[in-house]
């Protein structure tokens, strides 16, 4: 894709000024790193980092039947979601293949906001629209209405709190607040395993908020660190761990679905929960040399028993880590396997989630 | 090093490798562009001494937090020396790609191959295109 064809967030100029290295991420020109992945990673684990995640999409669902619509579209139990709360779900096809994994916020009794992955936004919006007709609900695209900043780390609440009037929302709660730059929707969510918030603001407010956060002590962090942080705590990334070819059960996301809630894909998930799956997603650690990468085969002797979905050098653990789909009987912590890393066998063992436990 | 640089005394390969040629021997490394694209190098895996390398073929791997990358031989020959310091401190490939971050020293089998490499000006043009 030509550089000129890439979309830019309202923070593009701020990234360039901060010396970011920009890359094409799902059609967006996004900062992959500023000072370096490892130092940004460390900052989020020990202090406070701020990420531009404005490429993520937003879909709002409103109307008398909005709750019922989302109960059908999302794997988690929306009927139990309180106003002002947030919940993680998958969006599945009838055969339980994962269309996206999303956070949904209940803004009001009949008004919801769902945050989509950039690469899936159009697909999810069309899926929501297609089903809205069966319920008394309206679905609308709000990708252009919001910029999104993730402020993460043990000091994130202190940093954001210094700009806020009043208390920040607790984990998995949301609040309308003013952070000194205008209206903001502050959400107690994140993708790093650390405490912190994600903030949705109108695009024209984003640059001022970014500047205020940096002045208050947040370090700009890029998508590179975001990836290593989420891998250490074993969060799924769509396109790596999740796809339409995988179900939430195979991805070990059974905690994000409620059997009996009536979601699309429920029957297949229930069947897999009953009968088990051929493969299961599992985290792994390489204690010796070597860094596994997406696509590397997992081996038991000469037998191929799985494939790596994500792999990196863990900045916190100083070892190669990652996740892989492996034969279900091998997905137990402690199981020893080998990973074929570009022709070299590396001894790996299946680990326990999360591979890294944040200090907080 | 923070700023891009491409010294005039080196010859460049389009796969972002350089050669410092001295008679029948040469030192190989990767260019500023290559290390910048890769990000912080965490692992450098050179071949053993005596390994034959062929022009345009891969001879080593460098790995950053986010990706692994092949290193291409700009010329053919036999490895006579490996930068052990860069194995222990791979960040030298980022901080000093043309100096302490060199990779291997090679006894050239056909020094005339050098005619096919780019000078600094041509390599910079390639990067801009």
């Amino acid at each position: 894709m030509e550089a000129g064809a890439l979309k830019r967030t309202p923070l593009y100029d701020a990234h360039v000024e901060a010396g970011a290295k920009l890359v094409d991420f799902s059609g967006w020109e996004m900062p992959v790193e500023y000072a370096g992945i490892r130092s940004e990673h460390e900052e989020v684990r020990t202090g406070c980092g701020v990420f531009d995640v404005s490429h993520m999409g937003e879909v709002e669902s409103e109307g008398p039947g909005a709750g019922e619509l989302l109960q059908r579209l999302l794997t988690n139990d929306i009927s139990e979601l309180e106003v002002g709360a947030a919940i993680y779900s998958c969006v599945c096809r009838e055969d339980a293949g994962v269309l996206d994994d999303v956070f949904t916020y209940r803004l009001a009794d009949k008004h919801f906001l769902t945050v989509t992955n950039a690469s899936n936004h159009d697909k999810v919006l069309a899926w929501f629209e297609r089903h809205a007709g069966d319920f008394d609900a309206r679905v609308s695209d709000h990708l252009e209405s919001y910029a999104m900043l993730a402020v993460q780390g043990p000091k994130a609440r202190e940093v954001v709190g210094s700009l806020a009037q009043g208390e920040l929302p607790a984990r998995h709660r949301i609040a309308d607040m003013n952070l000194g730059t205008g209206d903001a929707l502050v959400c107690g969510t994140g993708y790093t395993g650390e405490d912190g918030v994600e903030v949705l603001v109108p695009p024209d407010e984003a640059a001022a908020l970014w500047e205020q956060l940096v002045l208050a002590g947040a370090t700009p962090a890029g998508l590179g660190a975001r990836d290593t942080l989420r891998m250490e705590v074993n969060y799924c990334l769509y396109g790596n761990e999740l796809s339409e070819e995988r179900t939430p059960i195979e991805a070990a996301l059974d905690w994000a679905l409620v059997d009996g809630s009536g979601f699309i894909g429920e029957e297949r998930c229930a069947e897999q929960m009953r009968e088990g799956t051929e493969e299961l997603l599992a985290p792994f650690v390489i204690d010796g040399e070597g860094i596994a990468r997406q696509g590397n085969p997992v081996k038991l002797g000469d037998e191929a028993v799985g494939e790596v979905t994500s792999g990196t050098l863990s900045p916190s653990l100083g070892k190669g880590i990652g996740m892989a789909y492996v034969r279900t009987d091998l997905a137990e912590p402690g199981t020893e396997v080998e990973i074929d890393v570009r022709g070299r066998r590396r001894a790996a063992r299946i680990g326990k989630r999360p591979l890294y436990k944040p200090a907080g | 090093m923070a700023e891009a640089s491409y010294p005039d005394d080196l010859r460049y390969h389009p796969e972002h490798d350089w050669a410092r040629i001295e008679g029948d021997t040469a030192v190989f490394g990767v260019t500023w562009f290559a290390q910048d694209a890769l990000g912080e190098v965490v692992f450098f895996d050179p071949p053993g001494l005596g390994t034959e390398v062929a022009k345009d073929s891969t001879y080593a791997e460098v790995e950053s937090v986010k990706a692994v990358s092949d290193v291409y031989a700009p010329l053919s020959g036999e490895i006579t020396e490996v930068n052990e310091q860069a194995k222990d401190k791979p960040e030298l490939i980022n901080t000093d790609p043309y100096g302490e971050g060199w990779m291997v020293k090679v006894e050239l089998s056909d020094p005339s191959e050098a005619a096919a490499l780019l000078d600094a000006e041509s390599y910079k043009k390639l990067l801009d295109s």
Side-chain angles (χ1 to χ4, degrees):
Chain A
M1 195 181 284
E2 296 266 323
L6 295 177
K7 287 179 272 192
R8 290 175 176 175
T9 79
L11 294 168
Y12 175 82
D13 291 340
H15 300 323
V16 172
E17 203 173 310
K21 190 183 293 177
L22 297 153
V23 296
D24 174 1
F25 184 85
S26 299
W28 291 78
E29 196 170 5
M30 298 299 290
V32 63
E33 60 178 80
Y34 303 81
I37 292 175
R38 283 189 291 182
S39 65
E40 292 162 28
H41 181 110
E42 175 72 9
E43 190 55 42
V44 174
R45 287 275 180 254
T46 58
C48 174
V50 57
F51 302 83
D52 178 13
V53 289
S54 302
H55 59 305
M56 299 192 79
E58 294 82 15
V59 177
E60 292 192 14
S61 306
E62 281 179 273
E68 287 76 28
L69 170 69
L70 294 182
Q71 185 75 352
R72 182 93 180 109
L73 293 174
L74 305 176
T75 55
N76 226 322
D77 192 358
I78 301 309
S79 69
E80 296 285 320
L81 184 66
E82 291 170 26
V83 172
I87 200 163
Y88 176 82
S89 303
C90 290
V91 181
C92 289
R93 307 191 302 201
E94 291 291 349
D95 67 357
V98 179
L99 290 164
D100 202 7
D101 66 323
V102 296
F103 251 99
T104 296
Y105 310 127
R106 191 163 204 160
L107 304 175
D109 187 35
K110 306 289 184 194
H111 189 185
F112 300 83
L113 186 152
T114 298
V115 179
T116 60
N117 280 300
S119 55
N120 292 330
H121 179 74
D122 293 346
K123 180 177 77 174
V124 169
L125 179 66
W127 183 254
F128 274 42
E129 282 170 342
R130 186 173 136 194
H131 289 89
D134 301 339
F135 301 86
D136 190 3
R138 278 189 320 282
V139 167
S140 50
D141 181 7
H142 287 265
L143 174 66
E144 307 282 337
S145 318
Y146 297 106
M148 190 167 177
L149 279 63
V151 194
Q152 301 280 299
K155 295 186 179 140
R157 285 180 176 273
E158 196 182 311
V159 169
V160 180
S162 72
L163 307 178
Q165 312 275 335
E167 283 282 297
L168 297 178
R171 187 169 154 77
H172 290 183
R173 304 292 303 186
I174 62 172
D176 280 312
M177 302 189 84
N178 189 323
L179 299 179
T181 55
D183 293 333
L185 179 65
V186 183
C187 314
T189 49
Y191 192 52
T192 60
E194 298 294 337
D195 198 5
V197 295
E198 294 178 301
V199 186
L200 289 135
V201 292
D204 60 3
E205 225 183 275
L209 180 58
W210 177 273
E211 196 185 330
Q212 289 306 309
L213 287 166
V214 171
L215 283 173
T219 300
L223 295 183
R226 191 170 152 83
D227 200 37
T228 54
L229 288 157
R230 69 100 194 162
M231 271 191 247
E232 286 185 343
V233 291
N234 312 116
Y235 290 164
C236 291
L237 174 64
Y238 197 93
N240 289 44
E241 284 71 37
L242 300 176
S243 74
E244 294 184 29
E245 314 310 316
R246 294 288 181 184
T247 72
I249 306 300
E250 292 164 34
L253 293 174
D254 39 316
W255 56 269
L257 60 85
V258 172
D259 190 21
S261 69
F263 67 88
I264 296 175
E266 183 177 38
E267 282 164 26
R268 176 92 194 285
C269 287
E271 183 191 309
Q272 287 191 329
M273 282 169 86
R274 240 179 7 249
E275 295 168 14
T277 58
E278 270 179 40
E279 291 189 320
L280 208 52
L281 186 67
F284 66 82
V285 178
I286 296 175
D287 285 312
E289 230 174 49
I291 305 168
R293 304 287 182 182
Q294 185 177 25
N296 289 162
V298 182
K299 299 272 197 168
L300 194 66
D302 287 334
E303 198 185 344
V305 292
E307 189 175 299
V308 173
T309 52
S310 294
T312 189
L313 175 76
S314 160
S316 303
L317 303 171
K319 297 174 181 176
I321 62 157
M323 287 182 272
Y325 277 103
V326 297
R327 219 172 62 195
T328 298
D329 61 299
L330 303 173
E332 282 295 313
T335 306
E336 291 182 1
V337 293
E338 285 184 310
I339 299 176
D340 181 342
V341 180
R342 294 159 64 85
R344 259 183 287 194
R345 293 290 188 96
R346 303 295 194 184
R349 69 185 155 80
I350 304 300
K352 205 170 153 222
R353 289 184 177 81
L355 290 177
Y356 172 83
K357 217 178 179 117
Chain B
M1 92 183 57
E3 290 297 315
S5 79
Y6 302 100
D8 285 331
D9 62 327
L10 305 180
R11 288 293 170 271
Y12 297 85
H13 186 275
E15 290 289 346
H16 313 293
D17 307 274
W18 55 261
R20 180 176 286 118
I21 304 166
E22 286 165 6
D24 290 348
T25 65
V27 175
F28 296 170
V30 297
T31 65
W32 188 93
F33 176 87
Q35 67 76 31
D36 184 59
L38 204 54
E40 297 155 281
V41 177
V42 294
F43 190 59
F44 166 52
D45 186 25
L49 294 180
T51 306
E52 296 282 343
V53 299
K55 183 177 185 301
D56 307 326
S57 303
T58 66
Y59 72 90
E61 283 180 8
V62 279
E63 190 146 23
S64 67
V65 174
K66 64 175 192 281
V68 60
S69 180
D70 284 317
V71 185
Y72 287 79
L75 299 165
S76 306
E78 183 186 322
I79 310 263
T80 57
E81 206 178 324
V82 162
N83 186 355
E84 295 293 336
Q85 207 196 350
K87 263 175 84 174
D88 297 337
K89 291 174 69 183
E91 63 270 24
L92 290 172
I93 293 164
N94 296 117
T95 54
D96 194 9
Y98 305 113
E100 285 191 290
W102 65 278
M103 291 183 170
V104 294
K105 196 174 268 184
V106 173
E107 179 84 40
L108 299 175
S109 53
D110 181 5
S112 73
E113 285 177 341
L117 296 178
L118 306 170
D119 62 15
E121 278 313 304
S122 309
Y123 179 65
K124 277 187 267 187
K125 268 185 205 139
L126 177 81
L127 291 179
D128 290 339
S129 66

